Amino acid sequence: YMMNRGLTTWVNAFEWVCLSGIFTILFYDIIVLAKRQKESENEIRFTTAWAILGCNIGQLGWLEFISDILRTKNWRLFSKVSHVISIINLWLLLPTWLLMLGMKLPKMKESLENRRVNREDEVLLAGDNALAATSTAVLS
């Protein structure tokens, strides 16, 4: 029982380190992209608020990892700290982040499909013009 519980604790700690890294990379990617490109009316992007929320989840995940490590020094105190961070992250912040993602993805999919259709129309139009120019040149 104790071995299984210890293994679960370390696996959970590793999960929070990984999530912390993923959310931090995602935050920097969205912030840098927002600075490089100006907002266009047709393009739907992830918001900086969504990225900041993800970064906060990642930072709290990092703190939970640290509290999991510090459990070896003071089990009672850092177990409580870890549980509080877990409740905040898993019951409040992560569901909010997922809801924001779920509301944004259908709009982004529609925007991407519209861009794809517009590009296909442009290619077809250019292809028709090239075909017409070739057939006119052959007939001459």
Side-chain angles (χ1 to χ4, degrees):
Y1 171 76
M2 291 177 70
M3 189 170 108
N4 188 24
R5 183 151 172 111
L7 180 66
T8 304
T9 299
W10 289 111
V11 168
N12 285 339
F14 181 71
E15 286 174 355
W16 282 115
V17 167
C18 292
L19 281 175
S20 175
I22 290 168
F23 280 120
T24 303
I25 290 169
L26 189 62
F27 169 75
Y28 285 116
D29 188 40
I30 290 173
I31 296 300
V32 167
L33 184 65
K35 287 182 180 180
R36 281 189 193 162
Q37 299 175 349
K38 298 193 177 192
E39 300 277 337
S40 66
E41 294 175 15
N42 298 337
E43 200 165 334
I44 298 173
R45 297 187 186 136
F46 292 116
T47 61
T48 54
W50 180 76
I52 290 169
L53 179 61
C55 187
N56 288 335
I57 293 169
Q59 297 308 315
L60 282 174
W62 180 253
L63 289 176
E64 183 167 352
F65 170 73
I66 291 172
S67 70
D68 283 340
I69 299 263
L70 291 175
R71 281 182 182 184
T72 58
K73 296 294 180 188
N74 187 344
W75 182 265
R76 285 186 184 171
L77 173 68
F78 290 110
S79 287
K80 289 177 185 177
V81 169
S82 181
H83 285 108
V84 168
I85 293 172
S86 241
I87 289 170
I88 291 170
N89 254 353
L90 294 176
W91 290 2
L92 296 174
L93 298 180
L94 196 57
T96 304
W97 185 85
L98 287 171
L99 284 173
M100 291 172 73
L101 175 65
M103 292 172 60
K104 186 66 82 170
L105 283 179
K107 295 175 187 174
M108 293 181 86
K109 180 183 176 190
E110 184 179 321
S111 173
L112 180 64
E113 287 173 351
N114 289 341
R115 269 194 284 166
R116 189 174 293 152
V117 167
N118 290 341
R119 286 184 185 162
E120 288 175 359
D121 289 345
E122 290 173 6
V123 168
L124 288 176
L125 189 57
D128 289 344
N129 289 342
L131 182 61
T134 307
S135 63
T136 322
V138 170
L139 291 175
S140 299

